[in-house]
Amino acid sequence: MKYKLPRGTQDILPEESRKWQYIEAKAHDLCQRYNYKEIRTPIFEQTDLFARGVGDTTDIVQKEMYTFDDRGGRSLTLRPEGTASTVRSFVENKMHGWADQPTKLYYIGPMFRYERPQSGRMRQFVQFGVEAMGSADPAIDAEVIGLAMDFYSELGLKNLKLIINSLGDKESRRNHKEALINHFKPRINEFCKDCQTRLEKNPLRILDCKVDRNHELMLDAPAILEYLNEDSVTYFEQVKTFLKDMNISYEVDASLVRGLDYYNNTAFEIMIDGDGFGAITTLSGGGRYNGLVEEIGGPATPGIGFALSIERLLMALETQGIELPLEDGLDAYLVTMGDKAKTAAPKLLHQLRHEGLKVDADYLAKKVKGQMKAADRQQAKVVLIIGDEELATNSVMLKSMATGEQELVSITDITDKIKNYKSE
Ligand code: HAM
């Protein structure tokens, strides 16, 4: 075979894409209940949007972006995540001026990161994410977390673990940054090159460095929670209270820093607890980003959101042996006997499909036996048999695949009859 899938990507074949459709429908439905509206942004954006938005000291921007020059010499990047694009659109379309605030948006679409592929880590993956912009009420932090948890639990996932932390407001972060610099500076030459440049620019990033994660200075690095000012502490307490009110259990993990630069105050990840899930146990992540809209050129606007990948969700469902309640099979399969019947088939199929039924027929000139087999494989509820006799009387022989019972049904009644079988 000459051509192969690019590394870290996948074909989603029909058996799998049924699951995707089910999950996506669930996401649309849930977002309607929470009153989030869908936004679709381009798959590529100006490179600078991500450098600014996601942060130029992050692994995503430094190592993982698919960046290219277009024929006009513009640097473009395949989006590595959805928040920066959503915020860009929020600013560009002046959504802050819309009557209903906060602006509550969601998206489902492919994202691209040049990562080392492994189970649960792809180079193209699909995120479902939500962003709420325009409110600094801790209740909306709890709403976003609640939506994420509901999504998983409504699909049947168990053993979910919600980890939360606060990264504090500007002042708290400034104090924490200073403490981190003092902590790492004396021995920074023992750290990787990336960490050395991170030290002055963004020492928080050192804390999620994959290379130096076992260095002893990591163990007693100053935790942000100790540097939160009063406002940040109060905010965090309020979020936690709302979560308790909503019966959502959580664990506070002071070492949760997230891999993107835009976060402040609330940060969270949802993990799957339990064996057999592989190395990657994080299902989704999100948090508050109060400075991002401004950073991207809009008016100061608070925001919060999260994103999850459908690939990891599917892995989790599989590991837990959860079958999605997918609708299987055709409503009817048309079996023709003889040339006349074959000629009459397209019209009948067309009519039944117009009536909203899922029907199919043979296009390979199979014998009746072969057609019946196909009906069985496609899990048709009934077969509709037409031959010369049926044609002459404007009727079809309807056979139930479950019981084998047959009855002659007039063409005018056929749709209702099939619908009866369908609802049985
Ligand atoms: P993130 O933590 O980078 O956050 O990604 C969110 C989720 O996307 C991860 O928890 C994981 O489910 C999935 N994901 C990330 N990378 C991969 C990959 N290589 N393969 C498969 N799945 C992956 C963000 O992207 C933020 N934009 C989330 C957010 C929205 N924060 C606020 N609003």
Side-chain angles (χ1 to χ4, degrees):
M1 179 59 195
K2 194 168 159 197
Y3 299 109
K4 289 223 170 83
L5 267 178
R7 234 165 94 72
T9 67
Q10 64 172 337
D11 294 323
I12 301 167
L13 303 181
E15 193 53 37
E16 273 297 293
S17 63
R18 292 172 345 129
K19 297 182 192 163
W20 283 76
Q21 287 176 352
Y22 180 87
I23 288 168
E24 285 164 11
K26 192 83 190 162
H28 291 298
D29 170 66
L30 189 70
C31 285
Q32 267 185 24
R33 276 186 273 148
Y34 277 81
N35 198 26
Y36 285 70
K37 308 268 164 60
E38 191 186 10
I39 179 165
R40 302 185 188 202
T41 61
I43 278 174
F44 54 82
E45 298 269 359
Q46 282 168 261
T47 301
D48 195 42
L49 171 68
F50 300 115
R52 288 211 128 212
V54 175
D56 54 12
T57 55
T58 59
D59 273 357
I60 295 181
V61 171
Q62 288 192 341
K63 303 177 189 163
E64 297 170 1
M65 296 210 300
Y66 282 90
T67 297
F68 58 97
D69 285 345
D70 74 2
R71 287 171 192 274
R74 303 167 194 90
S75 179
L76 298 172
T77 293
L78 299 185
R79 60 183 185 190
E81 58 104 51
T83 310
S85 310
T86 307
V87 170
R88 194 263 313 133
S89 180
F90 175 87
V91 173
E92 199 166 349
N93 292 291
K94 300 193 171 54
M95 293 184 202
H96 43 87
W98 289 3
D100 290 316
Q101 295 299 334
T103 306
K104 303 207 293 184
L105 302 170
Y106 77 96
Y107 47 85
I108 304 174
M111 309 291 161
F112 306 84
R113 296 185 193 176
Y114 190 80
E115 294 198 79
R116 199 166 49 77
Q118 55 172 291
S119 165
R121 182 172 291 147
M122 316 274 301
R123 289 185 173 167
Q124 174 175 335
F125 55 97
V126 174
Q127 275 190 347
F128 159 44
V130 313
E131 313 292 350
M133 287 162 285
S135 167
D137 184 338
I140 202 142
D141 301 43
E143 174 176 289
V144 166
I145 295 173
L147 186 154
M149 294 298 280
D150 271 0
F151 183 64
Y152 289 126
S153 53
E154 288 187 15
L155 288 165
L157 266 192
K158 293 177 281 289
N159 301 333
L160 296 168
K161 192 159 86 176
L162 168 65
I163 309 282
I164 57 171
N165 192 19
S166 172
L167 301 177
D169 62 7
K170 252 194 193 149
E171 184 188 68
S172 315
R173 290 167 68 88
R174 215 174 19 244
N175 295 338
H176 182 228
K177 182 175 170 181
E178 214 177 283
L180 286 173
I181 294 177
N182 292 338
H183 179 76
F184 287 113
K185 202 169 188 172
R187 292 173 63 187
I188 195 65
N189 54 355
E190 295 167 30
F191 284 71
C192 72
K193 278 247 148 51
D194 287 341
C195 282
Q196 294 180 15
T197 48
R198 284 165 180 150
L199 182 71
E200 297 294 337
K201 274 183 111 173
N202 190 359
L204 195 68
R205 284 274 76 81
I206 298 178
L207 299 181
D208 67 347
C209 175
K210 286 166 195 141
V211 183
D212 293 316
R213 70 173 137 216
N214 296 323
H215 193 286
E216 60 175 332
L217 281 189
M218 291 292 208
L219 296 175
D220 57 349
I224 177 73
L225 283 183
E226 294 154 28
Y227 292 84
L228 296 186
N229 62 14
E230 211 178 309
D231 283 355
S232 302
V233 170
T234 309
Y235 195 90
F236 195 34
E237 288 307 316
Q238 285 171 319
V239 174
K240 289 191 284 187
T241 304
F242 285 129
L243 290 175
K244 276 185 210 138
D245 291 348
M246 291 158 73
N247 256 334
I248 297 175
S249 30
Y250 58 81
E251 276 175 34
V252 175
D253 180 349
S255 69
L256 176 72
V257 293
R258 308 275 301 127
L260 304 94
D261 274 355
Y262 45 63
Y263 293 113
N264 39 60
N265 289 311
T266 315
F268 70 95
E269 284 186 355
I270 300 172
M271 328 265 293
I272 194 106
D273 216 2
D275 297 335
F277 190 65
I280 293 174
T281 53
T282 302
L283 290 180
S284 55
R288 193 159 260 293
Y289 46 84
N290 290 348
L292 184 60
V293 177
E294 220 174 347
E295 181 75 32
I296 286 176
T301 310
I304 171 141
F306 90 96
L308 61 85
S309 76
I310 297 185
E311 287 81 357
R312 286 194 195 170
L313 165 62
L314 281 165
M315 274 177 55
L317 289 170
E318 197 177 314
T319 314
Q320 295 192 355
I322 294 163
E323 299 265 344
L324 299 174
L326 304 173
E327 262 198 43
D328 276 322
L330 295 172
D331 297 326
Y333 193 92
L334 189 59
V335 171
T336 56
M337 294 190 296
D339 290 344
K340 264 199 197 149
K342 199 157 176 45
T343 317
K347 183 178 166 190
L348 182 57
L349 282 172
H350 197 57
Q351 180 192 326
L352 294 173
R353 288 166 177 161
H354 274 195
E355 308 272 1
L357 294 168
K358 292 188 282 178
V359 292
D360 207 355
D362 166 56
Y363 291 99
L364 296 174
K366 283 198 187 120
K367 302 216 170 68
V368 171
K369 203 170 158 196
Q371 295 181 52
M372 293 299 287
K373 269 194 186 156
D376 192 40
R377 255 197 327 273
Q378 307 259 8
Q379 298 176 41
K381 305 240 169 16
V382 299
V383 287
L384 309 173
I385 306 166
I386 46 174
D388 291 348
E389 258 175 57
E390 286 79 12
L391 283 177
T393 54
N394 247 340
S395 54
V396 299
M397 184 62 80
L398 183 147
K399 180 179 177 185
S400 157
M401 293 297 273
T403 64
E405 276 170 46
Q406 299 202 30
E407 59 177 313
L408 198 64
V409 180
S410 154
I411 284 282
T412 47
D413 298 337
I414 191 71
T415 304
D416 289 341
K417 270 279 173 203
I418 299 173
K419 284 186 177 160
N420 283 346
Y421 274 95
K422 204 178 150 175
S423 58
E424 259 173 24

